[in-house]
Amino acid sequence: MSIRLLDAMAREDFEEVVAVQDRRSGLRAVVALHDTSAGPAFGGIRRWNYASEASAALDCLRLARAMTWKCVLAGLPAGGAKTVVLDHGGLDPESAYRHLGRVIERMGGRYYTGPDVNTGERELAWLAAETRYATDPGPEGPQELAESTAAGVFAGIAAGLRHLDGEEDWSRRSVVIQGLGSVGLRLARRLVEQGARVVGADIDERTAQVAVTELGIETVAPGDELDVPCDVFSPNALGGLVHDLTLVRLRARVVCGGANNVLASAAHGDRLHARGILFVPDFMVNAGALIRGALFHLEGRREPVVEIQARVDAVATELLALARELGRPPSRVAVAEASRRLAARRNRLRGCDDAAALSDKGRVSGNHTTSPADTDRKDSDA
Ligand code: NAD
């Protein structure tokens, strides 16, 4: 796989992509800032053993772009970013994360980072030692990030069920959860509390056992969950789950989960739609941690989880209704709507910049009693 980086950036209007290399720690990383037009960009650090540099860069771009969509749909004055670290046997994790922390610190607050796959509390502590712009996993930080995400996914599932049947009717529902980690376990707890039947699967036996012991849910062997008939299939492990081979196996009416980029490609959203399976797009529902973290950093407050749930519910309900009205797959409609809102926001801000520039000119020239209109005329005369 190869990638023409500047072309890929131009297609999605990326602002900046930084490649980071540090021989001492073995760090090889890509940091992508998609949008800082309305405020700082937010996005965690994913550490993964990528097949190639190109697939790492592509993953980084896709994830950063989705972060912008989440910000826009959630109405946050912020944009999307992501970092991927190419994992390999020679990596010294502490020294690598510390190096990355210094790189992020030098960005001066344009980028705030946080957890993602293989970046947990330990890695965040290393980052926090070097930068002010990393999420503090302790009591001084935003807290309840996974709970916020689970609340949003729960809201997305509820919106999906109401969309299909006009009601949630939890006691009659069955939900299959793939991945019972931080988000999956919390989602399972919420569903069990509502009286839904939950079937889970996790490749980590101990993690699955925690869910069984704590919540009394059923589990199936990893892989088998795809074949379980259910109302809702909820992917909360890794992205790219819905592809040619899995799509035909799903026996759910709704697919809605916290994993980023659930669809292997946009066409798979169309195929789910054609099969009559309602796909509630991940970036519409898994913004809980982002909302909580961004508002903590931007406004110094912890948005209550119940408010986060309500925000996601409102967005999901609105966009599913729009998809029905347009007769198009929700995945397409959500992307189009996020892109439309982003373009409108950029235009508005650009308009503000232009107006500010003009009024600055007016102010500066005002000393010489020149109006913005006069300045314009002079500029065009020149
Ligand atoms: P996690 O690492 O705590 O949990 C993921 C779980 O999935 C693990 O227990 C792992 O063993 C399991 N798993 C991996 N592959 C599997 C497979 N093929 N089948 C079954 N189980 C499998 O991660 P998390 O924080 O719970 O996040 C879950 C997903 O949600 C990730 O894709 C993450 O990027 C996304 N996400 C998380 C948050 C958040 O707030 N934590 C926010 C947005 C998106």
Side-chain angles (χ1 to χ4, degrees), residues 174-181 184-185 188 191-192 197-204 207-209 211-212 215-226 228 230 232-234 236:
S174 54
V175 181
V176 170
I177 301 182
Q178 183 192 57
L180 294 163
L185 181 71
L191 292 163
V192 167
R197 176 180 167 233
V198 175
V199 178
D202 199 293
I203 50 169
D204 187 297
T207 304
Q209 195 50 48
V212 172
L215 305 174
I217 65 166
E218 303 161 48
T219 55
V220 292
D224 289 354
E225 72 275 17
L226 290 163
V228 177
C230 56
V232 181
F233 184 87
S234 185
N236 294 283

PDB file of all heavy atoms in Angstrom, residues 174-181 184-185 188 191-192 197-204 207-209 211-212 215-226 228 230 232-234 236:
ATOM      1  N   SER A 174     -32.639  -7.662  22.697  1.00  0.00           N
ATOM      2  CA  SER A 174     -31.372  -8.368  22.921  1.00  0.00           C
ATOM      3  C   SER A 174     -30.261  -7.590  22.208  1.00  0.00           C
ATOM      4  O   SER A 174     -30.437  -7.132  21.070  1.00  0.00           O
ATOM      5  CB  SER A 174     -31.455  -9.799  22.381  1.00  0.00           C
ATOM      6  OG  SER A 174     -31.851  -9.758  21.028  1.00  0.00           O
ATOM      7  N   VAL A 175     -29.153  -7.432  22.910  1.00  0.00           N
ATOM      8  CA  VAL A 175     -28.034  -6.660  22.370  1.00  0.00           C
ATOM      9  C   VAL A 175     -26.770  -7.515  22.452  1.00  0.00           C
ATOM     10  O   VAL A 175     -26.454  -8.064  23.512  1.00  0.00           O
ATOM     11  CB  VAL A 175     -27.818  -5.351  23.174  1.00  0.00           C
ATOM     12  CG1 VAL A 175     -26.671  -4.538  22.582  1.00  0.00           C
ATOM     13  CG2 VAL A 175     -29.101  -4.512  23.215  1.00  0.00           C
ATOM     14  N   VAL A 176     -26.081  -7.630  21.332  1.00  0.00           N
ATOM     15  CA  VAL A 176     -24.811  -8.358  21.312  1.00  0.00           C
ATOM     16  C   VAL A 176     -23.680  -7.329  21.340  1.00  0.00           C
ATOM     17  O   VAL A 176     -23.651  -6.415  20.506  1.00  0.00           O
ATOM     18  CB  VAL A 176     -24.708  -9.244  20.049  1.00  0.00           C
ATOM     19  CG1 VAL A 176     -23.296  -9.815  19.912  1.00  0.00           C
ATOM     20  CG2 VAL A 176     -25.729 -10.369  20.116  1.00  0.00           C
ATOM     21  N   ILE A 177     -22.785  -7.475  22.291  1.00  0.00           N
ATOM     22  CA  ILE A 177     -21.684  -6.513  22.425  1.00  0.00           C
ATOM     23  C   ILE A 177     -20.365  -7.200  22.097  1.00  0.00           C
ATOM     24  O   ILE A 177     -19.961  -8.163  22.768  1.00  0.00           O
ATOM     25  CB  ILE A 177     -21.621  -5.929  23.854  1.00  0.00           C
ATOM     26  CG1 ILE A 177     -22.946  -5.223  24.190  1.00  0.00           C
ATOM     27  CG2 ILE A 177     -20.456  -4.965  23.989  1.00  0.00           C
ATOM     28  CD1 ILE A 177     -22.973  -4.571  25.565  1.00  0.00           C
ATOM     29  N   GLN A 178     -19.698  -6.701  21.085  1.00  0.00           N
ATOM     30  CA  GLN A 178     -18.367  -7.212  20.755  1.00  0.00           C
ATOM     31  C   GLN A 178     -17.334  -6.317  21.438  1.00  0.00           C
ATOM     32  O   GLN A 178     -17.266  -5.118  21.139  1.00  0.00           O
ATOM     33  CB  GLN A 178     -18.135  -7.178  19.240  1.00  0.00           C
ATOM     34  CG  GLN A 178     -16.779  -7.767  18.855  1.00  0.00           C
ATOM     35  CD  GLN A 178     -16.421  -7.487  17.409  1.00  0.00           C
ATOM     36  OE1 GLN A 178     -16.380  -6.332  16.999  1.00  0.00           O
ATOM     37  NE2 GLN A 178     -16.169  -8.534  16.647  1.00  0.00           N
ATOM     38  N   GLY A 179     -16.555  -6.858  22.346  1.00  0.00           N
ATOM     39  CA  GLY A 179     -15.576  -6.061  23.097  1.00  0.00           C
ATOM     40  C   GLY A 179     -16.178  -5.605  24.407  1.00  0.00           C
ATOM     41  O   GLY A 179     -17.091  -4.772  24.419  1.00  0.00           O
ATOM     42  N   LEU A 180     -15.679  -6.187  25.508  1.00  0.00           N
ATOM     43  CA  LEU A 180     -16.245  -5.867  26.826  1.00  0.00           C
ATOM     44  C   LEU A 180     -15.234  -5.107  27.672  1.00  0.00           C
ATOM     45  O   LEU A 180     -15.140  -5.296  28.875  1.00  0.00           O
ATOM     46  CB  LEU A 180     -16.677  -7.167  27.523  1.00  0.00           C
ATOM     47  CG  LEU A 180     -17.846  -7.884  26.828  1.00  0.00           C
ATOM     48  CD1 LEU A 180     -17.962  -9.335  27.300  1.00  0.00           C
ATOM     49  CD2 LEU A 180     -19.154  -7.142  27.058  1.00  0.00           C
ATOM     50  N   GLY A 181     -14.462  -4.227  27.006  1.00  0.00           N
ATOM     51  CA  GLY A 181     -13.459  -3.420  27.714  1.00  0.00           C
ATOM     52  C   GLY A 181     -14.100  -2.213  28.380  1.00  0.00           C
ATOM     53  O   GLY A 181     -15.243  -2.272  28.857  1.00  0.00           O
ATOM     54  N   GLY A 184     -17.412  -1.198  26.379  1.00  0.00           N
ATOM     55  CA  GLY A 184     -18.353  -2.314  26.253  1.00  0.00           C
ATOM     56  C   GLY A 184     -18.948  -2.737  27.585  1.00  0.00           C
ATOM     57  O   GLY A 184     -20.153  -2.975  27.701  1.00  0.00           O
ATOM     58  N   LEU A 185     -18.105  -2.801  28.620  1.00  0.00           N
ATOM     59  CA  LEU A 185     -18.598  -3.234  29.943  1.00  0.00           C
ATOM     60  C   LEU A 185     -19.605  -2.220  30.493  1.00  0.00           C
ATOM     61  O   LEU A 185     -20.656  -2.592  31.027  1.00  0.00           O
ATOM     62  CB  LEU A 185     -17.423  -3.383  30.913  1.00  0.00           C
ATOM     63  CG  LEU A 185     -17.819  -3.855  32.312  1.00  0.00           C
ATOM     64  CD1 LEU A 185     -18.245  -5.319  32.296  1.00  0.00           C
ATOM     65  CD2 LEU A 185     -16.676  -3.663  33.309  1.00  0.00           C
ATOM     66  N   ALA A 188     -22.808  -2.483  28.624  1.00  0.00           N
ATOM     67  CA  ALA A 188     -23.528  -3.689  29.054  1.00  0.00           C
ATOM     68  C   ALA A 188     -24.258  -3.422  30.371  1.00  0.00           C
ATOM     69  O   ALA A 188     -25.417  -3.810  30.540  1.00  0.00           O
ATOM     70  CB  ALA A 188     -22.550  -4.850  29.206  1.00  0.00           C
ATOM     71  N   LEU A 191     -27.395  -1.435  29.814  1.00  0.00           N
ATOM     72  CA  LEU A 191     -28.446  -2.218  29.151  1.00  0.00           C
ATOM     73  C   LEU A 191     -29.081  -3.216  30.112  1.00  0.00           C
ATOM     74  O   LEU A 191     -30.309  -3.387  30.132  1.00  0.00           O
ATOM     75  CB  LEU A 191     -27.858  -2.943  27.933  1.00  0.00           C
ATOM     76  CG  LEU A 191     -27.444  -2.015  26.782  1.00  0.00           C
ATOM     77  CD1 LEU A 191     -26.516  -2.730  25.811  1.00  0.00           C
ATOM     78  CD2 LEU A 191     -28.675  -1.490  26.050  1.00  0.00           C
ATOM     79  N   VAL A 192     -28.236  -3.859  30.921  1.00  0.00           N
ATOM     80  CA  VAL A 192     -28.749  -4.825  31.905  1.00  0.00           C
ATOM     81  C   VAL A 192     -29.659  -4.093  32.894  1.00  0.00           C
ATOM     82  O   VAL A 192     -30.741  -4.588  33.253  1.00  0.00           O
ATOM     83  CB  VAL A 192     -27.571  -5.533  32.626  1.00  0.00           C
ATOM     84  CG1 VAL A 192     -28.049  -6.288  33.856  1.00  0.00           C
ATOM     85  CG2 VAL A 192     -26.870  -6.490  31.659  1.00  0.00           C
ATOM     86  N   ARG A 197     -31.589  -8.057  27.337  1.00  0.00           N
ATOM     87  CA  ARG A 197     -30.755  -9.264  27.364  1.00  0.00           C
ATOM     88  C   ARG A 197     -29.443  -8.942  26.641  1.00  0.00           C
ATOM     89  O   ARG A 197     -29.475  -8.450  25.498  1.00  0.00           O
ATOM     90  CB  ARG A 197     -31.497 -10.400  26.651  1.00  0.00           C
ATOM     91  CG  ARG A 197     -30.676 -11.646  26.549  1.00  0.00           C
ATOM     92  CD  ARG A 197     -31.415 -12.775  25.829  1.00  0.00           C
ATOM     93  NE  ARG A 197     -30.450 -13.816  25.495  1.00  0.00           N
ATOM     94  CZ  ARG A 197     -30.277 -14.321  24.288  1.00  0.00           C
ATOM     95  NH1 ARG A 197     -31.034 -13.927  23.281  1.00  0.00           N
ATOM     96  NH2 ARG A 197     -29.370 -15.241  24.067  1.00  0.00           N
ATOM     97  N   VAL A 198     -28.322  -9.196  27.303  1.00  0.00           N
ATOM     98  CA  VAL A 198     -27.025  -8.853  26.709  1.00  0.00           C
ATOM     99  C   VAL A 198     -26.194 -10.108  26.510  1.00  0.00           C
ATOM    100  O   VAL A 198     -26.059 -10.933  27.413  1.00  0.00           O
ATOM    101  CB  VAL A 198     -26.251  -7.846  27.608  1.00  0.00           C
ATOM    102  CG1 VAL A 198     -24.860  -7.585  27.042  1.00  0.00           C
ATOM    103  CG2 VAL A 198     -27.029  -6.534  27.735  1.00  0.00           C
ATOM    104  N   VAL A 199     -25.650 -10.239  25.312  1.00  0.00           N
ATOM    105  CA  VAL A 199     -24.707 -11.323  25.001  1.00  0.00           C
ATOM    106  C   VAL A 199     -23.395 -10.650  24.619  1.00  0.00           C
ATOM    107  O   VAL A 199     -23.386  -9.730  23.789  1.00  0.00           O
ATOM    108  CB  VAL A 199     -25.211 -12.185  23.821  1.00  0.00           C
ATOM    109  CG1 VAL A 199     -24.201 -13.267  23.473  1.00  0.00           C
ATOM    110  CG2 VAL A 199     -26.566 -12.794  24.145  1.00  0.00           C
ATOM    111  N   GLY A 200     -22.292 -11.049  25.244  1.00  0.00           N
ATOM    112  CA  GLY A 200     -21.020 -10.387  24.976  1.00  0.00           C
ATOM    113  C   GLY A 200     -19.973 -11.343  24.443  1.00  0.00           C
ATOM    114  O   GLY A 200     -20.108 -12.571  24.536  1.00  0.00           O
ATOM    115  N   ALA A 201     -18.918 -10.744  23.879  1.00  0.00           N
ATOM    116  CA  ALA A 201     -17.765 -11.535  23.441  1.00  0.00           C
ATOM    117  C   ALA A 201     -16.518 -10.683  23.570  1.00  0.00           C
ATOM    118  O   ALA A 201     -16.549  -9.474  23.276  1.00  0.00           O
ATOM    119  CB  ALA A 201     -17.939 -11.975  21.983  1.00  0.00           C
ATOM    120  N   ASP A 202     -15.444 -11.297  24.029  1.00  0.00           N
ATOM    121  CA  ASP A 202     -14.166 -10.576  24.100  1.00  0.00           C
ATOM    122  C   ASP A 202     -13.046 -11.579  23.888  1.00  0.00           C
ATOM    123  O   ASP A 202     -13.113 -12.706  24.397  1.00  0.00           O
ATOM    124  CB  ASP A 202     -14.007  -9.892  25.459  1.00  0.00           C
ATOM    125  CG  ASP A 202     -12.952  -8.795  25.399  1.00  0.00           C
ATOM    126  OD1 ASP A 202     -11.749  -9.117  25.214  1.00  0.00           O
ATOM    127  OD2 ASP A 202     -13.322  -7.615  25.511  1.00  0.00           O
ATOM    128  N   ILE A 203     -12.039 -11.157  23.130  1.00  0.00           N
ATOM    129  CA  ILE A 203     -10.936 -12.086  22.863  1.00  0.00           C
ATOM    130  C   ILE A 203     -10.100 -12.318  24.121  1.00  0.00           C
ATOM    131  O   ILE A 203      -9.341 -13.276  24.181  1.00  0.00           O
ATOM    132  CB  ILE A 203     -10.021 -11.596  21.708  1.00  0.00           C
ATOM    133  CG1 ILE A 203      -9.604 -10.151  21.932  1.00  0.00           C
ATOM    134  CG2 ILE A 203     -10.678 -11.773  20.354  1.00  0.00           C
ATOM    135  CD1 ILE A 203      -8.506  -9.687  20.992  1.00  0.00           C
ATOM    136  N   ASP A 204     -10.253 -11.441  25.078  1.00  0.00           N
ATOM    137  CA  ASP A 204      -9.550 -11.604  26.349  1.00  0.00           C
ATOM    138  C   ASP A 204     -10.484 -12.298  27.337  1.00  0.00           C
ATOM    139  O   ASP A 204     -11.480 -11.720  27.779  1.00  0.00           O
ATOM    140  CB  ASP A 204      -9.123 -10.233  26.880  1.00  0.00           C
ATOM    141  CG  ASP A 204      -8.248 -10.339  28.111  1.00  0.00           C
ATOM    142  OD1 ASP A 204      -8.738 -10.848  29.149  1.00  0.00           O
ATOM    143  OD2 ASP A 204      -7.100  -9.914  28.039  1.00  0.00           O
ATOM    144  N   THR A 207     -11.328 -10.557  30.635  1.00  0.00           N
ATOM    145  CA  THR A 207     -12.228  -9.408  30.480  1.00  0.00           C
ATOM    146  C   THR A 207     -13.668  -9.887  30.345  1.00  0.00           C
ATOM    147  O   THR A 207     -14.588  -9.321  30.947  1.00  0.00           O
ATOM    148  CB  THR A 207     -11.822  -8.586  29.230  1.00  0.00           C
ATOM    149  OG1 THR A 207     -10.460  -8.225  29.379  1.00  0.00           O
ATOM    150  CG2 THR A 207     -12.661  -7.351  29.056  1.00  0.00           C
ATOM    151  N   ALA A 208     -13.858 -10.934  29.551  1.00  0.00           N
ATOM    152  CA  ALA A 208     -15.203 -11.483  29.375  1.00  0.00           C
ATOM    153  C   ALA A 208     -15.736 -11.988  30.712  1.00  0.00           C
ATOM    154  O   ALA A 208     -16.909 -11.790  31.059  1.00  0.00           O
ATOM    155  CB  ALA A 208     -15.179 -12.599  28.345  1.00  0.00           C
ATOM    156  N   GLN A 209     -14.858 -12.607  31.474  1.00  0.00           N
ATOM    157  CA  GLN A 209     -15.277 -13.179  32.758  1.00  0.00           C
ATOM    158  C   GLN A 209     -15.725 -12.089  33.739  1.00  0.00           C
ATOM    159  O   GLN A 209     -16.676 -12.282  34.502  1.00  0.00           O
ATOM    160  CB  GLN A 209     -14.122 -14.015  33.340  1.00  0.00           C
ATOM    161  CG  GLN A 209     -14.528 -14.956  34.464  1.00  0.00           C
ATOM    162  CD  GLN A 209     -15.755 -15.820  34.122  1.00  0.00           C
ATOM    163  OE1 GLN A 209     -15.814 -16.411  33.055  1.00  0.00           O
ATOM    164  NE2 GLN A 209     -16.750 -15.858  35.013  1.00  0.00           N
ATOM    165  N   ALA A 211     -17.259  -9.379  33.000  1.00  0.00           N
ATOM    166  CA  ALA A 211     -18.639  -9.006  32.633  1.00  0.00           C
ATOM    167  C   ALA A 211     -19.635 -10.063  33.105  1.00  0.00           C
ATOM    168  O   ALA A 211     -20.731  -9.736  33.577  1.00  0.00           O
ATOM    169  CB  ALA A 211     -18.745  -8.828  31.120  1.00  0.00           C
ATOM    170  N   VAL A 212     -19.236 -11.319  32.987  1.00  0.00           N
ATOM    171  CA  VAL A 212     -20.130 -12.403  33.429  1.00  0.00           C
ATOM    172  C   VAL A 212     -20.344 -12.315  34.940  1.00  0.00           C
ATOM    173  O   VAL A 212     -21.472 -12.363  35.446  1.00  0.00           O
ATOM    174  CB  VAL A 212     -19.527 -13.782  33.055  1.00  0.00           C
ATOM    175  CG1 VAL A 212     -20.336 -14.914  33.669  1.00  0.00           C
ATOM    176  CG2 VAL A 212     -19.472 -13.927  31.534  1.00  0.00           C
ATOM    177  N   LEU A 215     -22.073  -8.694  35.886  1.00  0.00           N
ATOM    178  CA  LEU A 215     -23.393  -8.340  35.337  1.00  0.00           C
ATOM    179  C   LEU A 215     -24.273  -9.549  35.057  1.00  0.00           C
ATOM    180  O   LEU A 215     -25.449  -9.400  34.738  1.00  0.00           O
ATOM    181  CB  LEU A 215     -23.217  -7.552  34.027  1.00  0.00           C
ATOM    182  CG  LEU A 215     -22.330  -6.296  34.117  1.00  0.00           C
ATOM    183  CD1 LEU A 215     -22.124  -5.700  32.733  1.00  0.00           C
ATOM    184  CD2 LEU A 215     -22.984  -5.264  35.027  1.00  0.00           C
ATOM    185  N   GLY A 216     -23.682 -10.716  35.110  1.00  0.00           N
ATOM    186  CA  GLY A 216     -24.461 -11.932  34.845  1.00  0.00           C
ATOM    187  C   GLY A 216     -24.880 -12.073  33.388  1.00  0.00           C
ATOM    188  O   GLY A 216     -25.867 -12.748  33.081  1.00  0.00           O
ATOM    189  N   ILE A 217     -24.139 -11.450  32.480  1.00  0.00           N
ATOM    190  CA  ILE A 217     -24.508 -11.575  31.058  1.00  0.00           C
ATOM    191  C   ILE A 217     -24.012 -12.910  30.488  1.00  0.00           C
ATOM    192  O   ILE A 217     -23.147 -13.553  31.072  1.00  0.00           O
ATOM    193  CB  ILE A 217     -23.939 -10.416  30.198  1.00  0.00           C
ATOM    194  CG1 ILE A 217     -22.415 -10.466  30.179  1.00  0.00           C
ATOM    195  CG2 ILE A 217     -24.451  -9.077  30.676  1.00  0.00           C
ATOM    196  CD1 ILE A 217     -21.812  -9.581  29.100  1.00  0.00           C
ATOM    197  N   GLU A 218     -24.567 -13.271  29.356  1.00  0.00           N
ATOM    198  CA  GLU A 218     -24.075 -14.469  28.657  1.00  0.00           C
ATOM    199  C   GLU A 218     -22.894 -14.054  27.781  1.00  0.00           C
ATOM    200  O   GLU A 218     -22.846 -12.913  27.323  1.00  0.00           O
ATOM    201  CB  GLU A 218     -25.145 -15.019  27.705  1.00  0.00           C
ATOM    202  CG  GLU A 218     -26.465 -15.370  28.340  1.00  0.00           C
ATOM    203  CD  GLU A 218     -27.566 -15.436  27.274  1.00  0.00           C
ATOM    204  OE1 GLU A 218     -27.344 -16.085  26.233  1.00  0.00           O
ATOM    205  OE2 GLU A 218     -28.629 -14.837  27.486  1.00  0.00           O
ATOM    206  N   THR A 219     -21.999 -14.992  27.520  1.00  0.00           N
ATOM    207  CA  THR A 219     -20.943 -14.704  26.541  1.00  0.00           C
ATOM    208  C   THR A 219     -20.882 -15.836  25.521  1.00  0.00           C
ATOM    209  O   THR A 219     -21.334 -16.953  25.787  1.00  0.00           O
ATOM    210  CB  THR A 219     -19.549 -14.558  27.206  1.00  0.00           C
ATOM    211  OG1 THR A 219     -19.291 -15.721  27.967  1.00  0.00           O
ATOM    212  CG2 THR A 219     -19.459 -13.317  28.059  1.00  0.00           C
ATOM    213  N   VAL A 220     -20.338 -15.505  24.369  1.00  0.00           N
ATOM    214  CA  VAL A 220     -20.089 -16.525  23.347  1.00  0.00           C
ATOM    215  C   VAL A 220     -18.617 -16.430  22.959  1.00  0.00           C
ATOM    216  O   VAL A 220     -17.954 -15.429  23.264  1.00  0.00           O
ATOM    217  CB  VAL A 220     -20.974 -16.318  22.087  1.00  0.00           C
ATOM    218  CG1 VAL A 220     -22.427 -16.574  22.399  1.00  0.00           C
ATOM    219  CG2 VAL A 220     -20.775 -14.935  21.490  1.00  0.00           C
ATOM    220  N   ALA A 221     -18.119 -17.457  22.298  1.00  0.00           N
ATOM    221  CA  ALA A 221     -16.708 -17.448  21.884  1.00  0.00           C
ATOM    222  C   ALA A 221     -16.486 -16.313  20.890  1.00  0.00           C
ATOM    223  O   ALA A 221     -17.353 -16.052  20.040  1.00  0.00           O
ATOM    224  CB  ALA A 221     -16.364 -18.782  21.232  1.00  0.00           C
ATOM    225  N   PRO A 222     -15.324 -15.622  21.005  1.00  0.00           N
ATOM    226  CA  PRO A 222     -15.045 -14.520  20.072  1.00  0.00           C
ATOM    227  C   PRO A 222     -15.175 -14.990  18.628  1.00  0.00           C
ATOM    228  O   PRO A 222     -14.664 -16.049  18.269  1.00  0.00           O
ATOM    229  CB  PRO A 222     -13.608 -14.128  20.394  1.00  0.00           C
ATOM    230  CG  PRO A 222     -13.311 -14.723  21.710  1.00  0.00           C
ATOM    231  CD  PRO A 222     -14.240 -15.858  21.946  1.00  0.00           C
ATOM    232  N   GLY A 223     -15.859 -14.222  17.824  1.00  0.00           N
ATOM    233  CA  GLY A 223     -16.112 -14.603  16.429  1.00  0.00           C
ATOM    234  C   GLY A 223     -17.542 -15.071  16.255  1.00  0.00           C
ATOM    235  O   GLY A 223     -18.201 -14.738  15.273  1.00  0.00           O
ATOM    236  N   ASP A 224     -18.052 -15.809  17.248  1.00  0.00           N
ATOM    237  CA  ASP A 224     -19.415 -16.345  17.131  1.00  0.00           C
ATOM    238  C   ASP A 224     -20.480 -15.270  17.314  1.00  0.00           C
ATOM    239  O   ASP A 224     -21.634 -15.456  16.924  1.00  0.00           O
ATOM    240  CB  ASP A 224     -19.655 -17.442  18.189  1.00  0.00           C
ATOM    241  CG  ASP A 224     -18.880 -18.708  17.866  1.00  0.00           C
ATOM    242  OD1 ASP A 224     -18.275 -18.749  16.775  1.00  0.00           O
ATOM    243  OD2 ASP A 224     -18.874 -19.627  18.700  1.00  0.00           O
ATOM    244  N   GLU A 225     -20.094 -14.155  17.934  1.00  0.00           N
ATOM    245  CA  GLU A 225     -21.094 -13.109  18.216  1.00  0.00           C
ATOM    246  C   GLU A 225     -21.729 -12.564  16.931  1.00  0.00           C
ATOM    247  O   GLU A 225     -22.860 -12.075  16.946  1.00  0.00           O
ATOM    248  CB  GLU A 225     -20.473 -11.967  19.041  1.00  0.00           C
ATOM    249  CG  GLU A 225     -19.502 -11.052  18.315  1.00  0.00           C
ATOM    250  CD  GLU A 225     -18.084 -11.616  18.300  1.00  0.00           C
ATOM    251  OE1 GLU A 225     -17.922 -12.819  18.555  1.00  0.00           O
ATOM    252  OE2 GLU A 225     -17.150 -10.845  18.004  1.00  0.00           O
ATOM    253  N   LEU A 226     -21.000 -12.677  15.823  1.00  0.00           N
ATOM    254  CA  LEU A 226     -21.523 -12.144  14.556  1.00  0.00           C
ATOM    255  C   LEU A 226     -22.761 -12.898  14.090  1.00  0.00           C
ATOM    256  O   LEU A 226     -23.570 -12.377  13.331  1.00  0.00           O
ATOM    257  CB  LEU A 226     -20.437 -12.229  13.477  1.00  0.00           C
ATOM    258  CG  LEU A 226     -19.267 -11.265  13.662  1.00  0.00           C
ATOM    259  CD1 LEU A 226     -18.084 -11.698  12.827  1.00  0.00           C
ATOM    260  CD2 LEU A 226     -19.701  -9.848  13.308  1.00  0.00           C
ATOM    261  N   VAL A 228     -25.092 -14.280  16.099  1.00  0.00           N
ATOM    262  CA  VAL A 228     -26.184 -14.360  17.085  1.00  0.00           C
ATOM    263  C   VAL A 228     -27.346 -13.454  16.649  1.00  0.00           C
ATOM    264  O   VAL A 228     -27.148 -12.255  16.458  1.00  0.00           O
ATOM    265  CB  VAL A 228     -25.685 -13.923  18.488  1.00  0.00           C
ATOM    266  CG1 VAL A 228     -26.828 -13.921  19.496  1.00  0.00           C
ATOM    267  CG2 VAL A 228     -24.549 -14.819  18.948  1.00  0.00           C
ATOM    268  N   CYS A 230     -30.198 -10.932  17.000  1.00  0.00           N
ATOM    269  CA  CYS A 230     -30.400  -9.947  18.072  1.00  0.00           C
ATOM    270  C   CYS A 230     -31.066  -8.703  17.491  1.00  0.00           C
ATOM    271  O   CYS A 230     -31.150  -8.536  16.268  1.00  0.00           O
ATOM    272  CB  CYS A 230     -29.058  -9.559  18.690  1.00  0.00           C
ATOM    273  SG  CYS A 230     -27.877  -8.929  17.500  1.00  0.00           S
ATOM    274  N   VAL A 232     -29.838  -5.623  18.391  1.00  0.00           N
ATOM    275  CA  VAL A 232     -28.747  -4.659  18.185  1.00  0.00           C
ATOM    276  C   VAL A 232     -27.398  -5.367  18.253  1.00  0.00           C
ATOM    277  O   VAL A 232     -27.146  -6.142  19.181  1.00  0.00           O
ATOM    278  CB  VAL A 232     -28.782  -3.564  19.291  1.00  0.00           C
ATOM    279  CG1 VAL A 232     -27.666  -2.535  19.060  1.00  0.00           C
ATOM    280  CG2 VAL A 232     -30.130  -2.883  19.356  1.00  0.00           C
ATOM    281  N   PHE A 233     -26.559  -5.082  17.285  1.00  0.00           N
ATOM    282  CA  PHE A 233     -25.165  -5.535  17.351  1.00  0.00           C
ATOM    283  C   PHE A 233     -24.314  -4.308  17.659  1.00  0.00           C
ATOM    284  O   PHE A 233     -24.372  -3.304  16.935  1.00  0.00           O
ATOM    285  CB  PHE A 233     -24.720  -6.163  16.029  1.00  0.00           C
ATOM    286  CG  PHE A 233     -23.331  -6.730  16.099  1.00  0.00           C
ATOM    287  CD1 PHE A 233     -23.117  -8.033  16.538  1.00  0.00           C
ATOM    288  CD2 PHE A 233     -22.232  -5.948  15.785  1.00  0.00           C
ATOM    289  CE1 PHE A 233     -21.834  -8.549  16.635  1.00  0.00           C
ATOM    290  CE2 PHE A 233     -20.947  -6.459  15.885  1.00  0.00           C
ATOM    291  CZ  PHE A 233     -20.749  -7.768  16.311  1.00  0.00           C
ATOM    292  N   SER A 234     -23.511  -4.379  18.728  1.00  0.00           N
ATOM    293  CA  SER A 234     -22.742  -3.203  19.149  1.00  0.00           C
ATOM    294  C   SER A 234     -21.245  -3.489  19.136  1.00  0.00           C
ATOM    295  O   SER A 234     -20.717  -4.155  20.037  1.00  0.00           O
ATOM    296  CB  SER A 234     -23.193  -2.780  20.557  1.00  0.00           C
ATOM    297  OG  SER A 234     -22.544  -1.581  20.911  1.00  0.00           O
ATOM    298  N   ASN A 236     -17.642  -2.762  19.946  1.00  0.00           N
ATOM    299  CA  ASN A 236     -16.881  -1.919  20.882  1.00  0.00           C
ATOM    300  C   ASN A 236     -15.470  -2.452  21.061  1.00  0.00           C
ATOM    301  O   ASN A 236     -14.899  -2.373  22.149  1.00  0.00           O
ATOM    302  CB  ASN A 236     -17.606  -1.858  22.234  1.00  0.00           C
ATOM    303  CG  ASN A 236     -18.932  -1.150  22.110  1.00  0.00           C
ATOM    304  OD1 ASN A 236     -18.989   0.062  22.030  1.00  0.00           O
ATOM    305  ND2 ASN A 236     -20.018  -1.920  22.043  1.00  0.00           N
TER     306      ASN A 236
END
